[in-house]
Amino acid sequence: MLAEFGTVIPHEVEIRVSDSTSQLRYLVLPRRPAGTEGWTEDELAALVTRDAMIGVSTIEAQERKVR
């Protein structure tokens, strides 16, 4: 179903599905995008979207902003 919405997960990635209710929520921890080694926590946090946090999209590496 994710592929139908444009999110393609590699076959070697294990996906676990859990149902949630208004009383219980699960957090999906996104994987570090390739090429972001050495980035600060703030730089990485800026990449995280709502959809990535609930597991319906992946985080794509973006060009690093020099401060």
Side-chain angles (χ1 to χ4, degrees):
M1 180 180 3
L2 291 174
E4 292 177 14
F5 291 99
T7 300
V8 178
I9 307 294
H11 291 289
E12 64 272 7
V13 174
E14 180 182 344
I15 298 175
R16 296 180 187 174
V17 178
S18 298
D19 193 15
S20 65
T21 67
S22 62
Q23 296 177 349
L24 179 65
R25 295 282 181 223
Y26 292 92
L27 176 65
V28 176
L29 298 178
R31 297 186 325 174
R32 175 190 292 270
T36 60
E37 294 76 13
W39 286 34
T40 67
E41 183 177 344
D42 288 338
E43 289 171 317
L44 291 169
L47 299 177
V48 178
T49 64
R50 174 198 169 273
D51 287 350
M53 291 300 291
I54 62 173
V56 296
S57 73
T58 57
I59 295 177
E60 302 299 325
Q62 300 172 2
E63 192 172 311
R64 189 175 190 178
K65 296 178 181 155
V66 180
R67 296 181 192 199

